[in-house]
Amino acid sequence: MAQIRWLGLDDAFPNPFYEEDPDPSVPGLIAVSEKIYPGQLSAAYQLGIFPWYSDNQPVLWWSPDPRMVLMPQNFKCSDSLKKSIRHFCNDSHSQIVVDSDFGAVVRACATSKRKEQDGTWITHEIMEAYTQLHEQGHAHSIAVIEQNQLIGGLYCVSFGGMVFGESMFSRQTDASKLALAALCAWCQQHQVAMIDCQQETQHLSSLGAAPISREAFLRQMQISLNQTNIDITWDFGKDILNHWL
C-alpha cells in the first residue's frame, strides 16, 4: 500500500486523474502538508483537489470519489423559494453584492452553526489562503444584503469556466439559497457547465446537486478549465434572480 504523500514547499500534488488513492482506508485523501504554501491552493484546484481539515491538524488535501456537483440548470427552485425571490427582488432595501466584502462572507461562513458539522473547517489559515486567492481574482463572494445587513451568502473559487463552491451561510430563511440561485443563474448565462460541491449532503441534494464519479468530474473540469472563450465578469445584482421566475 502506497503512503499518503507529505508535501513540502516545492512538492507537486499527485494527479488524481492518473493516480489512485494512496490509502484505501482513507478514500479521497490525496496528500498532506504542514501548511498551505504559496501557490499551493491554486495548483490544487486546477487538479480537482481541495483542503479540508480542522485546527491542530496538518492540511489534508482531498479528491473524493464520487464527487458532488450541481449542474446550474438542475438547480431546484421550489415554489417557496420563488416566493422568497419575488419578495427579495421587490424590496427596495435588499440587494445582492458580488466581491464587495469577501472577508465578511468568509467569516460568516466560518462562524455559522451547521446541523451536519461540529465546529468549522474554515480555519484562520484557510481564511488567509482564500483571501489571497480572491486578491488574485480566483475567489469570489456573493453577499445577500437586507436593510444594510449581511443576511446570507457564499464564496467560491473560479478558474477558466470552472466554478468550485466552497461554503455558504444563512441568517434568515432562504438567504443562502438566494445566493446560490443567483450563482446558478449567472453560471447559466456564462456557459459554466458545472459547480463543484465537493461532498454529498442532504441539503445540497435538495437543491439539485448529485454525485458523479471522480473520473467524470475530472474530465468535465479539464474541459471547463480550458474554456478560454468564456467572458466571465463577476458583477451582477439581484435582478439576475428573475432568471428563476
Side-chain angles (χ1 to χ4, degrees), residues 142-203:
I142 299 174
V144 181
I145 310 291
E146 198 170 83
Q147 299 287 345
N148 294 319
Q149 299 295 315
L150 180 61
I151 63 167
L154 62 80
Y155 73 99
C156 59
V157 170
S158 174
F159 286 93
M162 183 67 204
V163 172
F164 304 84
E166 283 304 312
S167 185
M168 53 187 181
F169 78 98
S170 189
R171 292 171 178 164
Q172 289 189 22
T173 301
D174 285 346
S176 62
K177 292 179 183 179
L178 290 172
L180 183 59
L183 176 61
C184 288
W186 178 87
C187 284
Q188 283 193 258
Q189 292 179 11
H190 289 81
Q191 294 80 52
V192 172
M194 181 174 72
I195 301 170
D196 175 31
C197 299
Q198 299 179 349
Q199 301 188 65
E200 187 170 1
T201 68
Q202 202 169 22
H203 179 61

Side-chain angles (χ1 to χ4, degrees), residues 54 109-122:
S54 300
C109 288
T111 55
S112 294
K113 294 182 178 179
R114 306 175 192 279
K115 293 179 181 178
E116 299 172 355
Q117 296 179 13
D118 293 325
T120 179
W121 66 275
I122 305 174

Side-chain angles (χ1 to χ4, degrees), residues 23-211:
D23 186 347
S25 68
V26 193
L29 182 60
I30 296 297
V32 180
S33 62
E34 183 180 359
K35 56 188 284 189
I36 299 177
Y37 296 105
Q40 202 173 34
L41 201 56
S42 176
Y45 272 94
Q46 293 175 80
L47 289 171
I49 299 169
F50 60 89
W52 184 46
Y53 64 106
S54 300
D55 273 328
N56 303 315
Q57 281 187 325
V59 182
L60 307 178
W61 298 94
W62 301 85
S63 177
D65 187 10
R67 187 80 166 228
M68 194 70 164
V69 300
L70 174 58
M71 307 305 179
Q73 71 275 14
N74 291 342
F75 176 73
K76 292 182 180 178
C77 191
S78 65
D79 290 340
S80 63
L81 181 54
K82 288 179 181 179
K83 184 177 179 180
S84 294
I85 288 174
R86 290 190 186 95
H87 174 78
F88 184 80
C89 288
N90 290 331
D91 182 355
S92 61
H93 299 290
S94 70
Q95 57 183 321
I96 282 180
V97 181
V98 178
D99 285 346
S100 176
D101 194 341
F102 182 82
V105 172
V106 175
R107 287 192 297 273
C109 288
T111 55
S112 294
K113 294 182 178 179
R114 306 175 192 279
K115 293 179 181 178
E116 299 172 355
Q117 296 179 13
D118 293 325
T120 179
W121 66 275
I122 305 174
T123 65
H124 289 292
E125 183 180 30
I126 285 284
M127 291 186 203
E128 291 176 7
Y130 282 86
T131 298
Q132 290 176 8
L133 211 57
H134 169 65
E135 292 169 352
Q136 296 163 11
H138 291 297
H140 304 278
S141 63
I142 299 174
V144 181
I145 310 291
E146 198 170 83
Q147 299 287 345
N148 294 319
Q149 299 295 315
L150 180 61
I151 63 167
L154 62 80
Y155 73 99
C156 59
V157 170
S158 174
F159 286 93
M162 183 67 204
V163 172
F164 304 84
E166 283 304 312
S167 185
M168 53 187 181
F169 78 98
S170 189
R171 292 171 178 164
Q172 289 189 22
T173 301
D174 285 346
S176 62
K177 292 179 183 179
L178 290 172
L180 183 59
L183 176 61
C184 288
W186 178 87
C187 284
Q188 283 193 258
Q189 292 179 11
H190 289 81
Q191 294 80 52
V192 172
M194 181 174 72
I195 301 170
D196 175 31
C197 299
Q198 299 179 349
Q199 301 188 65
E200 187 170 1
T201 68
Q202 202 169 22
H203 179 61
L204 287 169
S205 295
S206 72
L207 294 172

